[in-house]
Amino acid sequence: MSIDLNERPPAADETQRRGHMAALAVAEHIVAISPIVPNDVKVTCDPFAPGAPRVNVYFHNSREGVEALAEALGGTASTRPHSEGDPRPFVSASVVVSSVPVRVWSLLDGVADEASAVAA
C-alpha cells in the first residue's frame, strides 16, 4: 500500500517555465510604469538555475532613465566608473520586484555626462 499525495516538486523544466513567466510579468510591469521607455528589457531564467529568474533593463546613455525607473520601483541609482580601464560613468540600480531581481543600468558617454554636469 502506498500514499500518493500528488505534491511532487515540479520538474526542472516546469520550474524554469514558471521562472520565465514570473520574470515576463515583472518585465511587462516595468515597461508599463517606466517614466522613460527602456531601450532593452531582457528576461533570463537559466536551466542551471530554473528557480532564479531575473530581469535586466537597459537605457542607452540615460542617467535619467535609470534614476526615474529606480525611483518608480522604490530603489536608488548609484554611479561608479565602468571599470579600471574605462572611466565612463556606469549608472545602475538593483531592486527586487515580486521576488524577481531586477537590474537597471546605463553606460554613459563621458563627454555627454560632463556636459550635463556643467548644465546642472
Side-chain angles (χ1 to χ4, degrees):
M1 182 171 175
S2 70
I3 297 174
D4 185 4
L5 298 177
N6 292 325
E7 292 185 20
R8 294 184 181 99
D13 61 342
E14 186 59 29
T15 300
Q16 186 179 14
R17 184 182 326 278
R18 290 177 187 177
H20 275 301
M21 296 307 290
L24 285 167
V26 169
E28 181 179 26
H29 174 70
I30 286 170
V31 172
I33 68 159
S34 186
I36 298 172
V37 179
N39 294 80
D40 186 49
V41 179
K42 182 178 179 181
V43 170
T44 305
C45 189
D46 297 308
F48 56 83
R54 60 193 183 279
V55 176
N56 191 27
V57 182
Y58 168 72
F59 289 92
H60 182 71
N61 200 31
S62 177
R63 174 188 307 275
E64 297 81 11
V66 175
E67 290 174 344
L69 181 55
E71 184 177 330
L73 295 173
T76 56
S78 63
T79 304
R80 62 171 176 78
H82 177 58
S83 68
E84 197 171 299
D86 185 353
R88 291 180 296 166
F90 179 78
V91 183
S92 66
S94 293
V95 296
V96 176
V97 178
S98 297
S99 302
V100 176
V102 177
R103 181 171 180 225
V104 183
W105 68 279
S106 183
L107 181 61
L108 305 180
D109 176 15
V111 174
D113 189 56
E114 289 173 10
S116 67
V118 170

